[in-house]
Amino acid sequence: MKKITSFSLLIITITIISCDNEPVTVPDDFTASQGTYMGVVHLAYGDNDGQAIVYRFNENNAQWEEISWTWSTQWDDNGWLLPDNRLIAGKEYRYKMQIYAEGQGDEFSDYSREITGYAFKADPVEISSLNRQNDGSLEITINWTNPNDLLEINNLQDINYDIYRTEDGNYSDFSLIKTLNEVVYNTSDINYDWSYTDTDYSLEPSRSYSYKIATRYMYDFVDSNGSYRDYNEYSVDGEPADDEGAGTGNGGNPVVEYTTSDLGQVLTASSGVIEDIEEKLVDNTLYLGAITDADLYGKPALYEFNGSSWQNVWGTVPDVEFGRVNFAISNTGSYLAGINDSLSVFRWDGSAWSENMTPDNLGQEDSPAAVSIEVLDNELYMAVEQHPDYNLQVMKYNGSTWDTVGGDGNGIIASGSIFETKLKTISGTLYLHYIIDDVLYIKHLEGSTWTTDLTWGQEWLNDIELVKTGTQLYFSSGSASTDFDGGVYRVDNTTTVTNLIPDDHETWFTLGAFDLTANSDGELIVASMKYEYEDESQTSLVSYPHLNVYDGTEWKTISGDFTDGVPPVALSAIGNDVYYIYGDVTTVNAANDPSAIKLKKLTKQR
């Protein structure tokens, strides 16, 4: 009986203790949101007689950290104690909790089961297209789509789309240009497709532009004290999208990077202005001829570039004045020809000028209307158009007299009102071009015969320049009329050409070509005039020369600042380096004619 009584008493004692010290209940309905809230993890648990203590696992120190004591059964974790005090969107966080109930047993419940939760992670918006429109001023329309499903987001208030722009592929220098906002009243009504047209006055058709869209989601949350917090921000940066319209014929070109070396002043007029310049590349040595001290006519000058500076070739000049410069270079000296009242031809042997070498059959009464000289195999050739019959001949100097080259029995190649007569040696071949009645003729010399490369009609051609890469012949033209834009042309056969300048070129190829050259990669480089608005008022335009490269498929603008230049302009390429010769804008007179010529070397970046 004593054993039974003792056992019964023990049971009674345990029962009494259990009733007096009931442990705090461990929560079994503790939940965390799975990406249905912006910027926070929404935590919730059921009713409990006690205060919740919530813990989040810190991966940085492998410790459980207490993040809240709260009586609230629903609240949001926005990242307190984490770096920057914010959650990483889409990253899973581990949580557990206890209940503290004062006066109930040990006062702390056991830990709840461990759960995970994460905040919504948004993908960047996608720029679907960039459309360029150039109708006097450039406009670029950006279209984009928000790829995220936002229907189930519980705390979203606003969406801001920040539009950024940069030029010439410089992704490190994006600038905010516009913000578009959508207030979210109901997530089922969110607009996912957006468009904006960039009409900034500073947009230049010759430049390329890139855009990106940063999305800022504005959200609210409730802290563990039950306090409401609104307009917190979750930002998602977008990927850059390049203006694919640039360089495809609709008003602008992408930029190709060149390093600019300013090689300073080439020459300056002692009085008057620089009337005309002409560059020639002979055995990779660059020469520049000019007419200086000009009013209507001026003094000829010739300079040679030694790789770092210019040397004056002609220590003196004959007592003549010309309106255009005509010079040629051989291994025995240099030549000068020109027309004022009559034709004059001279040779400089390095120390003195010869007597006038004008052919005897070109007297004062038959003064030529046009002249051009060139050297082939160290022999001097001259193209002349003679009055009164307007006959075009090419002559070769044999050391004492002139012999006609090619043509009919009298050496006549063409007759009529002849313009733009010029000889040029290209890769060991002598070319001749001229214009009669708006028809351009290009020929080359084969032995003693002039072979036709092109006969092509076009009004208002002016300042023709020939270039050859491999077997392909090209030429450029300026413009003698506002009704003609000039161009850069590929000779397809003896009667047809293809203009390589796209139709929409209003601001980057104006007034036609100033000069044309080709580099060792076979790319064409053209100098033309660029126009842009001077300021935001868009009431006045400024213009300056600039350079563009054709790589066989598209035009690209050479990087650099060319606003310090004015015509006249000349170009030559040595290897892939471009030598850009131009008038100094700081020396122009009231007619915008410069009195000084400068040089820049442009080195292609590889």
Side-chain angles (χ1 to χ4, degrees), residues 447-504:
S448 59
T449 301
W450 290 101
T451 299
T452 298
D453 295 281
L454 179 68
T455 302
W456 178 65
Q458 170 63 54
E459 289 186 314
W460 309 118
L461 294 171
N462 185 46
D463 289 333
I464 303 298
E465 294 291 340
L466 298 186
V467 163
K468 192 175 184 181
T469 62
T471 60
Q472 184 63 61
L473 185 64
Y474 302 89
F475 69 93
S476 66
S477 173
S479 173
S481 170
T482 56
D483 295 327
F484 174 60
D485 293 334
V488 175
Y489 302 88
R490 181 185 64 233
V491 177
D492 297 325
N493 53 52
T494 57
T495 58
T496 62
V497 302
T498 297
N499 190 356
L500 302 177
I501 301 297
D503 291 336
D504 295 333

Side-chain angles (χ1 to χ4, degrees), residues 196-251:
Y196 172 72
T197 300
D198 185 5
T199 58
D200 195 311
Y201 79 95
S202 66
L203 292 177
E204 301 178 14
S206 63
R207 291 190 178 279
S208 63
Y209 294 94
S210 300
Y211 294 85
K212 68 176 183 177
I213 310 293
T215 314
R216 290 184 293 120
Y217 298 94
M218 313 305 293
Y219 63 90
D220 58 32
F221 76 97
V222 176
D223 66 20
S224 58
N225 293 321
S227 299
Y228 177 78
R229 308 288 180 89
D230 63 351
Y231 283 106
N232 294 268
E233 180 179 303
Y234 165 45
S235 182
V236 181
D237 202 9
E239 292 295 325
D242 298 325
D243 175 17
E244 296 179 355
T248 61
N250 55 354

Side-chain angles (χ1 to χ4, degrees), residues 148 343 432 446 461 574:
N148 301 284
L343 173 66
L432 167 69
E446 291 186 357
L461 294 171
I574 301 178

Side-chain angles (χ1 to χ4, degrees), residues 236-382:
V236 181
D237 202 9
E239 292 295 325
D242 298 325
D243 175 17
E244 296 179 355
T248 61
N250 55 354
N253 302 327
V255 172
V256 57
E257 293 297 327
Y258 277 68
T259 300
T260 301
S261 301
D262 190 344
L263 299 183
Q265 186 170 286
V266 180
L267 63 101
T268 184
S270 57
S271 64
V273 296
I274 308 296
E275 179 71 18
D276 181 48
I277 62 174
E278 176 76 18
E279 98 294 341
K280 285 187 179 181
L281 191 62
V282 182
D283 296 330
N284 276 341
T285 298
L286 183 59
Y287 294 87
L288 178 69
I291 298 297
T292 72
D293 304 339
D295 184 6
L296 179 60
Y297 296 98
K299 295 290 185 180
L302 181 64
Y303 290 81
E304 176 184 347
F305 186 63
N306 64 14
S308 59
S309 62
W310 292 89
Q311 309 298 320
N312 190 348
V313 175
W314 296 334
T316 61
V317 292
D319 187 19
V320 292
E321 287 190 335
F322 299 139
R324 299 294 300 267
V325 60
N326 273 286
F327 71 94
I329 306 294
S330 74
N331 61 5
T332 60
S334 54
Y335 299 89
L336 167 67
I339 301 171
N340 190 338
D341 293 329
S342 61
L343 173 66
S344 299
V345 183
F346 302 92
R347 184 175 72 87
W348 173 261
D349 64 8
S351 59
W353 290 97
S354 68
E355 295 296 326
N356 195 328
M357 298 163 52
T358 304
D360 292 337
N361 62 337
L362 298 178
Q364 295 278 356
E365 67 279 3
D366 296 327
S367 178
V371 63
S372 176
I373 58 173
E374 182 62 294
V375 164
L376 174 67
D377 296 331
N378 287 306
E379 294 182 301
L380 179 64
Y381 291 77
M382 177 171 60

